[in-house]
Amino acid sequence: MPARFTRWLPRTVRARRRAVQAVMAGAVLALLPATWMHTAAAGRLRTTADVPARDVAVVFGAGLWKGRPTPYLAHRLDTAAELYRTGKVRVLLVTGDNSRTAYDEPSAMRAYLTERGVPDGRIVSDYAGFDTWDSCVRARKVFGVDRAVLVTQDFHVERAVALCGRAGVDAYGVGVAEPRDRTWYYGTTREVFAAGKAALDAGLRPDPHFLGPEEKGVTEALASPLGR
């Protein structure tokens, strides 16, 4: 090994032992958030066939391409539409980013669902679901959802269930399976880093970027003849 590298290595056995212990401690601390998410979601992950019936499914945004849902978002929406058609849920709460005029995830999600036969009156839009924590908090505090099925990709579903549970939503998650392609590996790797922020959100429970007043969209959709 070149001398310029070896001069940074601990020179005594005791120092090397401490360095190894520090690395191991860091690894354990790095894994704690992921362990918390896994524990919080235990027993809460289901398929479209065996998930308990709930009034509401929350569908998380996953990006647009030329104004249309990306393939991963389309797969979430297809799953949500299946839950609606089979009577597992009655209303779909689509939550995503509409922070600028030219980018409107919830409206694109609504259009995709209506094209596939979901009545417009059964869809409620949350335009300020800027991240998973925001979507969970707003589902509870703004839309009054206290029980839900969460629809997202399999690598994200544990985080969604854990955070919504912390936000006060009794949630079951349906994880959409995807081929092990580049996007899947990117999403899975991203979850390792997102776990740290999730643990902070769960511990500190900050207000979302935009909370706003209570909305009656979900309540009205459930109460209307179409919502029955």
Side-chain angles (χ1 to χ4, degrees):
M1 183 179 294
R4 65 178 180 274
F5 295 125
T6 58
R7 72 170 181 265
W8 298 105
L9 295 177
R11 297 186 178 279
T12 67
V13 173
R14 185 177 182 180
R16 290 171 186 169
R17 185 182 298 115
R18 287 180 175 175
V20 170
Q21 290 172 342
V23 170
M24 293 177 64
V28 169
L29 289 174
L31 291 174
L32 281 178
T35 302
W36 163 75
M37 288 195 316
H38 181 75
T39 301
R44 293 274 170 171
L45 308 184
R46 303 296 173 85
T47 67
T48 54
D50 65 12
V51 69
R54 291 285 188 266
D55 283 339
V56 181
V58 178
V59 190
F60 297 87
L64 303 178
W65 175 251
K66 296 183 178 179
R68 297 284 296 172
T70 60
Y72 270 38
L73 180 52
H75 297 163
R76 297 182 187 188
L77 296 167
D78 290 337
T79 300
E82 180 184 349
L83 290 170
Y84 167 75
R85 286 193 296 266
T86 58
K88 290 287 188 176
V89 300
R90 299 165 59 199
V91 169
L92 305 180
L93 175 59
V94 295
T95 175
D97 186 353
N98 182 212
S99 57
R100 58 189 188 277
T101 304
Y103 190 85
D104 186 350
E105 277 188 306
S107 293
M109 295 163 77
R110 178 187 289 271
Y112 185 95
L113 288 167
T114 57
E115 288 169 3
R116 281 148 186 82
V118 180
D120 187 73
R122 302 253 182 142
I123 305 167
V124 179
S125 298
D126 172 14
Y127 294 96
F130 300 132
D131 60 21
T132 304
W133 175 250
D134 283 13
S135 293
C136 290
V137 173
R138 285 177 53 81
R140 181 69 185 92
K141 292 186 176 182
V142 175
F143 295 94
V145 176
D146 56 12
R147 286 158 43 99
V149 175
L150 312 180
V151 182
T152 184
Q153 260 68 38
D154 53 4
F155 54 75
H156 175 235
V157 70
E158 285 191 351
R159 178 158 61 96
V161 170
L163 286 176
C164 278
R166 186 61 176 159
V169 181
D170 178 13
Y172 284 89
V174 174
V176 180
E178 299 286 354
R180 299 306 194 256
D181 57 10
R182 182 182 302 175
T183 304
W184 185 89
Y185 282 109
Y186 168 79
T188 302
T189 302
R190 181 177 178 273
E191 283 301 305
V192 175
F193 299 97
K197 179 183 181 299
L200 287 174
D201 286 339
L204 300 176
R205 302 177 72 179
D207 285 337
H209 294 84
F210 178 77
L211 185 59
E214 293 182 7
E215 298 185 22
K216 303 297 184 182
V218 170
T219 302
E220 291 173 353
L222 291 171
S224 69
L226 186 61
R228 292 193 179 99

